[in-house]
Amino acid sequence: MAQVTVTIAGQSYRIACAPGEEAHLERLAASYDSRIEEMRAAFGEIGDLRLHVMAAMTQADELHATRRRLAEVEAELGRLRSSSGDERTRMIEARLAEGVHKTAERIEFLVRSLNAAGQGQGP
């Protein structure tokens, strides 16, 4: 198991990850750190824990919106499948399926990351 050290709100955290995922976790941590800094700039010094909760809630909201959009895309794909069977429809289905699959993988990774952060491996 690989490890990566990230810094969020001035605190360093060592996190275990799958080999090759280090750079991705660093980008996630940088994104989360940036979100905290945005909130700190907007709300001032309201306490680190509160900033972390607000940043996590904002990202959870984005995840929820992404899941909702994924469900809409899957519903649209279902409608396309039930309509005409021509070649154009099949091509559209293939592109949508690929997009849905990539989005689902990304959501699963974000959920794992948020769960790991909530279990003491991060803020």
Side-chain angles (χ1 to χ4, degrees), residues 62-118:
E62 290 171 357
L63 177 61
H64 176 76
T66 301
R67 284 180 172 162
R68 188 179 65 242
R69 179 65 184 130
L70 176 60
E72 291 169 1
V73 169
E74 287 174 335
E76 179 65 20
L77 180 59
R79 285 190 294 276
L80 286 171
R81 283 187 175 146
S82 66
S83 65
S84 169
D86 65 26
E87 185 60 30
R88 182 169 184 246
T89 300
R90 282 187 285 257
M91 288 176 17
I92 292 170
E93 287 177 355
R95 285 195 310 244
L96 283 173
E98 181 181 341
V100 167
H101 179 73
K102 286 180 181 179
T103 302
E105 286 177 343
R106 180 76 176 135
I107 288 171
E108 288 172 5
F109 181 82
L110 288 171
V111 168
R112 286 192 307 271
S113 296
L114 289 172
N115 285 339

Side-chain angles (χ1 to χ4, degrees), residues 8-13 32-33 35-37 39-41 43-57 123:
I8 298 172
Q11 295 288 327
S12 293
Y13 301 91
Y32 185 72
D33 186 55
R35 184 64 56 98
I36 289 172
E37 289 307 314
M39 297 206 163
R40 188 181 315 270
F43 301 109
E45 290 298 327
I46 60 171
D48 284 344
L49 181 58
R50 197 168 186 188
L51 285 170
H52 282 273
V53 169
M54 290 170 64
M57 293 292 291

